[in-house]
Amino acid sequence: MYIKEGEKRIQKKKTRVIRHCTDPQYRQTVTYPAGEVIGRLLLVMVWERQKGFDHNHGIGVAQINPETLELNKLVIGWYRLFPMAKIESESNEST
């Protein structure tokens, strides 16, 4: 998970790894100080871990605008994952 300002990823947080599961559920609390997320996006990336020396495989990415969330209470939701290449191509087009 990254905080994204413009096209720059400025802070990274990792979640735990769910192993040997075809339907993982991530029930983790992620907190940021309000000043770090206002006017920025949260970029959530989902990866499939590869064995050995292979690179991890990007399954998809979601961009979440924290300003659309009710941050004074617990937020549980489903977010559509887009192909990793879509986010990367948007970054390249805007620069």
Side-chain angles (χ1 to χ4, degrees):
M1 178 178 298
Y2 290 92
I3 294 177
K4 183 178 174 187
E5 183 173 32
E7 298 307 320
K8 186 177 178 183
R9 298 175 190 166
I10 57 175
Q11 185 179 5
K12 179 179 179 180
K13 287 193 177 187
K14 287 188 173 186
T15 59
R16 63 187 168 91
V17 175
I18 308 290
R19 299 184 191 276
H20 311 294
C21 182
T22 58
D23 187 23
Q25 295 185 16
Y26 300 93
R27 296 175 187 255
Q28 290 184 250
T29 301
V30 179
T31 59
Y32 290 100
E36 291 184 13
V37 296
I38 301 301
R40 297 175 175 159
L41 295 175
L42 295 177
L43 190 65
V44 180
M45 300 173 154
V46 179
W47 296 87
E48 177 182 17
R49 188 174 206 150
Q50 301 295 312
K51 294 181 179 180
F53 294 105
D54 291 336
H55 292 287
N56 293 338
H57 172 73
I59 295 173
V61 61
Q63 290 190 99
I64 302 168
N65 183 347
E67 294 178 14
T68 63
L69 304 174
E70 293 185 50
L71 298 177
N72 59 343
K73 63 180 184 179
L74 178 65
V75 177
I76 298 174
W78 289 87
Y79 297 92
R80 185 179 195 150
L81 290 179
F82 293 95
M84 296 283 201
K86 179 174 173 46
I87 298 301
E88 294 303 322
S89 68
E90 288 176 359
S91 296
N92 293 335
E93 289 172 4
S94 64
T95 55

